[in-house]
Amino acid sequence: MKKRILGKDLEVTAVGLGCMGFTHAYGTAVDETEAAKAIADAVEMGYTFFDTAECYIGQRADGTTAYNEDLVGEALKPYRNQVKIATKFGVRHDGRMLVMDSKPETIRKSIDESLRKLQTDHVDLYYQHRIDPQVPAEEVAGVMAELIQAGKILHWGISEVTEEYLRKAHAVCPVTCVQNRYSMMARWHEKLFPTLEELNVGYVAFSPLANGILTGAFGKGSKFAEGDYRNTMPQYQDEAYEANRELLELVEGMAAEKQATPAQISLAWMINKKPYIVSIPGSRKVERIRENAEAGEIVLTQEEVGMIDEKLNHMQMSEVFGGSGAKKA
């Protein structure tokens, strides 16, 4: 699989594996043995970039708690020297709401717990999962510098970041990449691109398939398991399928032209747009993980990317899930 450099020197595959769905947000957690095999299969396919977080917690079929970091750490233990692991701090879930906490003492406790669960002595990339309005960017960046000096993390990033916050944090401790939502249906962070290029900061795109709708695998009346967040996402409501018809036809038409799938075109569109963009689609299914990996080999010219952008600029589409609400700690 093609490689990308994030920031100064973090080399990862152009497509990484978002591991959240194995335990969180999509109903009952996947059986541990099955999930671990899927992650191991991803390594064999060539994936080197795996994304998790301390708050990706769910329930197994037997009612016990499933921790994503435990799963990822155990599955990747035999391959630790071959892969890059990213995890995150600063968020806990209260139902469907996010509670932010990036106090220095919380971060220090979180990294030690993540290292224990991941069974490693360092994290390759450590993200602030969401901005905590109670803690200045400079203070968070100062703790990151401390953790880098201690060898507990090698790089750091910020998820769902603004330009102002990024500049303040980067001035204290250089940021390797941001991880923001990005897809054909969620393009509002493109305004960050000039700043990223100025600062040499990479962009890791989460939800690059708009939580799966851009795969073309779902239609009107699609139902999901109890506890699956897609049940309430706007792009999965019955009326949204008609609103998104033109978008899906565009993706399906280009997929046929390129002998690819809609998901692969959706990923290739962003990978070919900028050399510093990496996508991290998630899936529980090995066949989807393989399909996504192959997107990194599809070449779209700048003219083709520009044509898609121009059509997206003037296209009707439904609202798309933009993230869970937040509340004060």
Side-chain angles (χ1 to χ4, degrees):
M1 201 190 303
K2 291 180 180 177
K3 301 291 180 63
R4 289 278 161 98
I5 301 294
L6 296 174
K8 182 181 178 182
D9 59 3
L10 178 59
E11 184 180 76
V12 297
T13 40
V15 179
L17 181 60
C19 297
M20 180 188 75
F22 289 117
T23 62
H24 180 76
Y26 292 98
T28 303
V30 178
D31 173 78
E32 285 179 289
T33 302
E34 179 184 342
K37 184 180 185 305
I39 292 172
D41 285 348
V43 176
E44 296 301 319
M45 292 174 204
Y47 282 85
T48 67
F49 192 32
F50 294 83
D51 184 270
T52 181
E54 65 175 351
C55 69
Y56 293 162
I57 301 170
Q59 296 295 314
R60 301 186 183 93
D62 62 5
T64 58
T65 301
Y67 295 94
N68 203 269
E69 287 182 320
D70 278 340
L71 167 66
V72 171
E74 183 64 26
L76 291 179
K77 189 175 180 180
Y79 313 101
R80 185 64 185 96
N81 293 331
Q82 301 172 228
V83 301
K84 302 295 193 300
I85 297 175
T87 191
K88 312 177 192 76
F89 67 88
V91 163
R92 62 179 173 83
H93 290 272
D94 185 355
R96 293 287 182 91
M97 300 294 284
L98 303 180
V99 181
M100 282 53 148
D101 182 359
S102 287
K103 293 188 291 292
E105 58 270 27
T106 300
I107 298 172
R108 295 185 185 105
K109 180 179 178 181
S110 290
I111 185 59
D112 288 342
E113 185 66 7
S114 289
L115 291 174
R116 182 186 68 80
K117 288 182 176 178
L118 291 167
Q119 302 184 56
T120 185
D121 62 357
H122 71 277
V123 168
D124 300 286
L125 177 58
Y126 200 41
Y127 289 109
Q128 183 180 18
H129 204 156
R130 292 291 185 273
I131 293 172
D132 182 348
Q134 307 302 313
V135 182
E138 296 87 347
E139 190 169 355
V140 174
V143 179
M144 295 301 103
E146 170 192 312
L147 296 181
I148 291 171
Q149 180 66 30
K152 293 184 178 183
I153 69 173
L154 303 186
H155 304 267
W156 84 290
I158 312 167
S159 186
E160 293 288 75
V161 71
T162 62
E163 178 184 349
E164 178 184 14
Y165 191 93
L166 174 60
R167 287 188 180 279
K168 289 179 178 179
H170 189 79
V172 175
C173 182
V175 175
T176 292
C177 62
V178 304
Q179 185 186 127
N180 284 15
R181 188 179 302 274
Y182 190 47
S183 72
M184 289 184 179
M185 296 186 74
R187 299 170 61 204
W188 48 82
H189 291 302
E190 287 182 346
K191 61 187 178 183
L192 275 177
F193 289 172
T195 303
L196 301 180
E197 291 163 13
E198 174 194 339
L199 302 178
N200 189 27
V201 172
Y203 193 118
V204 175
F206 76 86
S207 296
L209 299 173
N211 302 100
I213 199 73
L214 291 172
T215 64
F218 304 99
K220 188 175 181 179
S222 293
K223 299 297 180 184
F224 303 97
E226 183 179 353
D228 191 315
Y229 284 22
R230 288 174 292 185
N231 285 318
T232 57
M233 289 181 181
Q235 69 266 35
Y236 280 104
Q237 304 313 301
D238 284 350
E239 62 273 13
Y241 288 97
E242 183 58 37
N244 293 325
R245 180 185 299 275
E246 186 180 359
L247 170 62
L248 295 175
E249 287 178 350
L250 168 66
V251 177
E252 289 166 0
M254 183 156 279
E257 179 184 328
K258 296 288 184 178
Q259 297 184 308
T261 67
Q264 289 171 339
I265 293 298
S266 300
L267 298 175
W269 162 77
M270 66 178 65
I271 293 169
N272 285 276
K273 179 177 287 193
K274 300 288 185 181
Y276 51 82
I277 294 179
V278 168
S279 66
I280 51 166
S283 182
R284 297 176 166 205
K285 299 177 179 178
V286 172
E287 59 268 28
R288 288 293 188 193
I289 295 172
R290 181 174 290 107
E291 176 186 345
N292 293 338
E294 292 170 354
E297 304 305 316
I298 296 173
V299 175
L300 297 180
T301 66
Q302 288 301 298
E303 289 74 20
E304 288 172 320
V305 171
M307 176 273 292
I308 293 172
D309 284 346
E310 182 63 19
K311 290 187 175 182
L312 294 175
N313 288 340
H314 300 94
M315 187 178 290
Q316 174 191 358
M317 60 181 74
S318 75
E319 292 185 18
V320 64
F321 181 67
S324 300
K327 61 189 292 186
K328 290 184 178 181

